[in-house]
Amino acid sequence: MNSLEKNTAEALFGALKKQKYHMVGSHSAVKRCKWLYESIINGRPCYKQKFYGIKSHRCLQMSPSLYYCTQECLFCWRAQSGDLQVTWDEMKIPKVDPPEEIVEGCFKAQEKILTGYKGNSKTDWRKFQEALRPKQVAISLTGEPTLYEPLGELIRTFHQKGLTTFLVSNGTLPSKLSRLSQEPTQLYISTCAPNEQIYKKVCRPEFPSAWERLNETLELLQSFSCPTVLRMTLVKNHNMAEVGDYAGLVKKANPKYIEAKAYMHIGFSGLRLGFENMPSHGQVKEFAEKLAEKTGYRILDEAPESRVVLLSRLQKPVHVGAD
Ligand code: SF4
Ligand code: SF4
């Protein structure tokens, strides 16, 4: 099954299968994004199609580090050590699968996911045919992808197959990001606390210098040639104050975009937070307006259905999606 202890692997595998994760090798997974379904069945794409032009129906959502991360964020939908009465070392992927195998496994998993659409009378058949040939991969599902040592090779392999890549990292391993052998199409750094005190409470890092490391990553961000994004997951009553401190982090990183997005009460986050911790779109917008005032970034777009607001210094976002 994988290199975790047998009882741990069985508990995790069972729970994640129920949540419709498709396991790939020993530490990766693909999961159908809600917006893949919405795009093919109801003609409603995700906000990243609206902002950046990627096609939701041709997007594959995966993780190369399903059970592994350097943080235990309160708002995370990932199964964390201790959640299912089993524990494991979350900081180390014990057996490393080769990138080519992961990419092939992801394509097969996506095909399996799409098989379910054949019996749906509302399926858009043109989109369905296109979906069988994914053009975009979100390396973001769960876990910290920089824990997967050959991450640059994985990104390169996806690019060689004609896909664009959006990589989401929590920024706690700057040395891994600086050594990435291939940049993604767009790089996201989760910046979900304005200062160290709140960071420790909300993002619950697994090692003491994580806040310093995240700040190192923010400083490193300008050395990337790809578009960079600070992703702020906002949790009501936890990390939506001290906007001035967030502005300081933005100044340090000088990202191309900021995405301010509401926490969603899904997956294992239900063990740690309640529905009342989800801010409304209005509250996210209010946060974004204050941030815009303090940073000089402007609000470019928003998607109320996903409770997300996009900020940038640009006049409009650059589309990276291919047809
Ligand atoms: S970009 Fe993200 S939200 Fe959009 S379809 Fe892909 S995984 Fe889903
Ligand atoms: S960094 Fe991401 S995967 Fe890791 S605990 Fe936080 S939300 Fe979950």
Side-chain angles (χ1 to χ4, degrees):
M1 190 177 285
N2 65 31
S3 310
L4 293 165
E5 294 283 328
K6 194 165 173 280
N7 66 328
T8 307
E10 278 169 1
L12 288 172
F13 192 76
L16 292 174
K17 240 185 140 185
K18 269 192 216 146
Q19 291 187 13
K20 307 258 190 280
Y21 281 77
H22 292 247
M23 308 303 163
V24 173
S26 61
H27 52 78
S28 304
V30 174
K31 189 172 189 281
R32 185 203 79 181
C33 171
K34 164 191 167 188
W35 295 104
L36 175 85
Y37 175 89
E38 284 296 325
S39 178
I40 295 178
I41 304 298
N42 296 321
R44 293 174 68 223
C46 76
Y47 70 91
K48 286 187 187 134
Q49 174 163 333
K50 188 178 181 219
F51 295 172
Y52 312 115
I54 62 100
K55 300 286 184 285
S56 306
H57 68 285
R58 302 189 78 176
C59 180
L60 185 160
Q61 181 185 222
M62 67 82 65
S63 167
S65 47
L66 185 57
Y67 314 117
Y68 306 97
C69 192
T70 53
Q71 297 182 173
E72 288 192 326
C73 303
L74 286 178
F75 54 80
C76 182
W77 62 45
R78 174 175 80 84
Q80 298 176 355
S81 180
D83 280 350
L84 294 159
Q85 282 78 51
V86 287
T87 55
W88 67 97
D89 179 0
E90 293 181 294
M91 292 271 286
K92 189 164 171 35
I93 297 178
K95 175 187 163 287
V96 176
D97 295 334
E100 298 73 22
E101 273 181 39
I102 296 179
V103 170
E104 284 314 314
C106 285
F107 287 152
K108 281 193 190 127
Q110 187 82 340
E111 234 181 272
K112 235 189 208 167
I113 288 168
L114 289 163
T115 311
Y117 293 60
K118 284 186 184 159
N120 193 322
S121 59
K122 288 171 81 185
T123 293
D124 177 325
W125 292 108
R126 178 192 60 81
K127 280 189 176 173
F128 175 82
Q129 288 302 332
E130 287 182 353
L132 291 168
R133 289 170 287 114
K135 289 293 274 182
Q136 152 75 5
V137 57
I139 308 176
S140 68
L141 173 58
T142 174
E144 173 47 37
T146 56
L147 284 171
Y148 176 63
E149 202 55 51
L151 179 61
E153 282 310 304
L154 181 70
I155 293 170
R156 178 171 295 116
T157 310
F158 276 124
H159 289 181
Q160 283 165 347
K161 305 267 179 199
L163 282 83
T164 49
T165 52
F166 282 11
L167 173 68
V168 183
S169 165
N170 64 24
T172 53
L173 299 172
S175 58
K176 299 276 184 70
L177 281 168
S178 65
R179 283 190 277 114
L180 212 53
S181 60
Q182 171 71 53
E183 286 192 15
T185 309
Q186 188 149 297
L187 172 63
Y188 283 72
I189 300 297
S190 303
T191 313
C192 304
N195 55 45
E196 185 169 16
Q197 201 191 1
I198 296 175
Y199 176 69
K200 284 189 170 156
K201 279 194 197 144
V202 173
C203 300
R204 306 191 302 172
E206 300 256 25
F207 62 99
S209 61
W211 175 251
E212 283 79 40
R213 297 287 94 81
L214 167 59
N215 276 269
E216 258 178 59
T217 294
L218 296 180
E219 276 165 17
L220 187 73
L221 228 51
Q222 300 193 57
S223 66
F224 279 82
S225 352
C226 65
T228 54
V229 189
L230 292 197
R231 153 67 68 78
M232 297 171 182
T233 300
L234 301 174
V235 188
K236 201 165 147 189
N237 302 329
H238 284 274
N239 66 355
M240 295 184 69
E242 320 216 23
V243 182
D245 285 356
Y246 276 111
L249 300 177
V250 171
K251 197 171 168 207
K252 196 176 278 185
N254 193 25
K256 189 161 257 181
Y257 308 108
I258 304 167
E259 285 181 13
K261 189 174 185 316
Y263 154 67
M264 289 297 171
H265 189 67
I266 48 175
F268 289 91
S269 77
L271 299 174
R272 295 174 274 276
L273 292 168
F275 281 104
E276 69 281 4
N277 295 117
M278 286 195 295
S280 66
H281 183 66
Q283 287 162 332
V284 173
K285 183 97 184 262
E286 201 181 305
F287 173 92
E289 280 163 355
K290 283 188 202 154
L291 192 62
E293 207 175 284
K294 289 188 187 297
T295 56
Y297 280 54
R298 65 176 72 85
I299 292 179
L300 285 194
D301 209 342
E302 61 189 300
E305 67 282 12
S306 296
R307 303 186 195 183
V308 60
V309 177
L310 175 70
L311 299 100
S312 180
R313 288 211 180 91
L314 301 175
Q315 294 294 337
K316 55 179 189 171
V318 177
H319 276 203
V320 296
D323 288 332

